[in-house]
C-alpha cells in the first residue's frame, strides 16, 4: 500500500515560467519539477498550497510504497493561474525552495507555446 506525501525535489532542475496573458488579466505559471523519488513512487502531481499567503507555494506530491532500495527520477509539470511574482516556493520532502520565475511577455507567448509544443513532439519521437 502506498502513502501520499511530498516527494524530494531538485531545485537546480526546477523551472518556472510566467505567461503574461494581457492587460487586466492574471497570467499563468508553468511549473516543471524534477527529483529523485524513493522506490517505488508513482502518481506524481503538483498541488497549490491553499494556506500559503503572500505568493505561490507548490507542493510536489506523489504516492510511495512499498518502500524499496534506491530512487527513481521523475518529472512533473503543472500550470497555475495567478498574479506575477518574481519567485515562488516549491516544497518537497527535502525542504522548501525559492525558485526564480522567467517572464514570457504577452507578445511572445504564442512563439513560446509553439516552441514548447515542438520540444514535446521531439521528446516523444
Amino acid at each position: 500500500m502506498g502513502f501520499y506525501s511530498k516527494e524530494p525535489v531538485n531545485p537546480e532542475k526546477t523551472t518556472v515560467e510566467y505567461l503574461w496573458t494581457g492587460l487586466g488579466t492574471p497570467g499563468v505559471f508553468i511549473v516543471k519539477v524534477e527529483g529523485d523519488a524513493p522506490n517505488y513512487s508513482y502518481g506524481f502531481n503538483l498541488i497549490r498550497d491553499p494556506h500559503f499567503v503572500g505568493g505561490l507555494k507548490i507542493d510536489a506530491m506523489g504516492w510511495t510504497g512499498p518502500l524499496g532500495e534506491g530512487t527513481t527520477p521523475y518529472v512533473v509539470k503543472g500550470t497555475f493561474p495567478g498574479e506575477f511574482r518574481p519567485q515562488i516556493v516549491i516544497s518537497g520532502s527535502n525542504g522548501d525552495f525559492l525558485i526564480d520565475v522567467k517572464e514570457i511577455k504577452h507578445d511572445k507567448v504564442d512563439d513560446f507555446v509553439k516552441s514548447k509544443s515542438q520540444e514535446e513532439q521531439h521528446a516523444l519521437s
Side-chain angles (χ1 to χ4, degrees):
M1 168 183 251
F3 295 93
Y4 187 67
S5 62
K6 289 183 182 179
E7 298 292 346
V9 300
N10 182 340
E12 289 82 30
K13 292 184 177 179
T14 296
T15 61
V16 181
E17 291 141 333
Y18 185 81
L19 305 182
W20 287 93
T21 55
L23 295 173
T25 60
V28 177
F29 292 92
I30 299 175
V31 181
K32 179 178 142 189
V33 174
E34 295 187 38
D36 292 301
N39 285 337
Y40 297 90
S41 297
Y42 57 95
F44 302 101
N45 60 358
L46 299 175
I47 304 293
R48 178 189 296 248
D49 182 339
H51 305 291
F52 186 73
V53 204
L56 178 62
K57 181 179 179 188
I58 303 297
D59 298 329
M61 304 294 290
W63 289 89
T64 300
L67 289 176
E69 288 188 33
T71 60
T72 300
Y74 75 92
V75 177
V76 63
K77 298 176 186 176
T79 58
F80 304 91
E83 177 183 300
F84 175 76
R85 301 289 181 177
Q87 294 180 316
I88 68 167
V89 178
I90 302 294
S91 183
S93 62
N94 57 332
D96 294 344
F97 305 95
L98 270 178
I99 306 295
D100 291 331
V101 176
K102 177 183 175 187
E103 292 182 73
I104 310 299
K105 297 294 184 186
H106 74 281
D107 59 341
K108 302 291 184 202
V109 168
D110 286 342
D111 293 336
F112 174 80
V113 171
K114 287 177 188 173
S115 72
K116 286 294 184 183
S117 177
Q118 289 172 351
E119 285 176 20
E120 300 257 337
Q121 291 290 336
H122 290 289
L124 294 174
S125 20

